[in-house]
């Protein structure tokens, strides 16, 4: 149990997928204009990464390894992730139309979100079992959600500030993300 807690804290805060490994920057910067949209994207990413961690661990452990096809792991993981994102997209289109419309083009981008594939490959690289892989995936996605919601909240507040024209738009967002990355370095002493 202690090992699972360390994996969770390490994946969510210490080795935050966006702020320390710099994976998943496209949706991080693109969907963080409003807190509601960022939280919805975070929920979708939590679902996709957690389920893909489970499925890819099963596929790797029970299909690829026994058949000695581990060299196909990246291709197989991409196919699994693409199928899961299609499922999430169909679900949101039917049940949560406003969130589906708010996410727009960024929802299909979860398929190409390198954070999702990065988690699956990290699980294999660190030789995590199925449970450890799912915990790592869930915690990584929670860390992604924390960081994107914080950035969205800051961006909503920045809109009302007097900012130099040279820093308006992307420059101030990138400076803010850099400061957040520095702040998250403070979690390094937790583990």
């Amino acid at each position: 149990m202690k090992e699972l807690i360390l994996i969770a804290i390490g994946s969510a805060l210490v080795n935050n997928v966006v702020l320390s490994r710099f994976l998943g920057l496209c949706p991080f910067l693109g969907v963080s204009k409003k807190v509601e949209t960022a939280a919805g994207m975070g929920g979708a990413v939590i679902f996709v990464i957690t389920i893909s961690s489970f499925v890819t661990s099963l596929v790797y452990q029970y299909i690829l390894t026994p058949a000695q096809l581990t060299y196909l792991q990246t291709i197989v993981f991409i196919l699994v992730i693409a199928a899961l994102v299609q499922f999430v997209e169909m679900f949101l289109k039917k049940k949560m139309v406003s969130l589906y419309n708010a996410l727009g083009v960024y929802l299909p981008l979860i398929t190409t979100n390198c954070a999702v594939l990065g988690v699956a490959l990290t699980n294999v690289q660190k030789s995590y079992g199925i449970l450890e892989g799912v915990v790592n995936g869930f915690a990584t996605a929670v860390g992604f959600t924390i960081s994107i919601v914080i950035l969205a909240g800051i961006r909503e507040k920045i809109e009302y500030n007097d900012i130099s024209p040279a820093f308006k738009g992307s420059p101030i967002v990138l400076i803010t993300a850099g400061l957040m990355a520095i702040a998250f370095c403070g979690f390094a002493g937790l583990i």
Side-chain angles (χ1 to χ4, degrees):
M1 186 65 166
K2 181 180 177 183
E3 182 183 336
L4 295 177
I5 292 172
L6 289 175
I7 290 171
I9 292 172
S11 296
L13 298 175
V14 177
N15 298 315
N16 186 285
V17 71
V18 177
L19 300 173
S20 53
R21 288 195 270 161
F22 305 112
L23 297 174
L25 288 176
C26 296
F28 177 69
L29 297 173
V31 185
S32 60
K33 292 180 182 169
K34 295 186 179 239
V35 172
E36 298 84 25
T37 308
M41 179 64 147
V45 168
I46 287 173
F47 178 79
V48 169
I49 290 182
T50 304
I51 299 299
S52 71
S53 294
F54 176 71
V55 174
T56 55
S57 292
L58 286 175
V59 167
Y60 184 81
Q61 194 169 30
Y62 295 113
I63 297 173
L64 296 179
T65 301
Q68 297 179 350
L69 297 172
T70 55
Y71 60 90
L72 293 174
Q73 69 187 9
T74 305
I75 295 169
V76 171
F77 292 173
I78 289 171
L79 292 174
V80 167
I81 291 164
L84 288 170
V85 170
Q86 288 300 313
F87 172 72
V88 170
E89 188 173 5
M90 289 186 315
F91 175 79
L92 290 178
K93 193 173 185 178
K94 293 281 184 188
K95 301 292 182 188
M96 301 175 165
V97 178
S98 61
L99 180 58
Y100 175 79
N101 291 332
L103 291 175
V105 71
Y106 293 102
L107 187 59
L109 283 179
I110 295 176
T111 303
T112 59
N113 186 345
C114 52
V116 182
L117 181 60
V119 170
L121 294 174
T122 299
N123 290 342
V124 170
Q125 187 179 37
K126 292 188 176 183
S127 301
Y128 286 155
I130 295 171
L131 180 60
E132 290 94 353
V134 171
V135 168
N136 180 48
F138 178 76
T140 300
V142 167
F144 176 86
T145 303
I146 289 169
S147 58
I148 196 172
V149 168
I150 290 172
L151 182 63
I154 293 171
R155 285 181 76 173
E156 282 183 357
K157 297 293 182 188
I158 286 176
E159 273 186 45
Y160 303 110
N161 292 342
D162 186 28
I163 299 172
S164 170
F167 289 108
K168 285 194 182 212
S170 296
I172 195 69
V173 173
L174 293 173
I175 290 169
T176 304
L179 292 172
M180 285 176 58
I182 292 170
F184 268 68
C185 287
F187 291 120
L190 284 176
I191 301 180

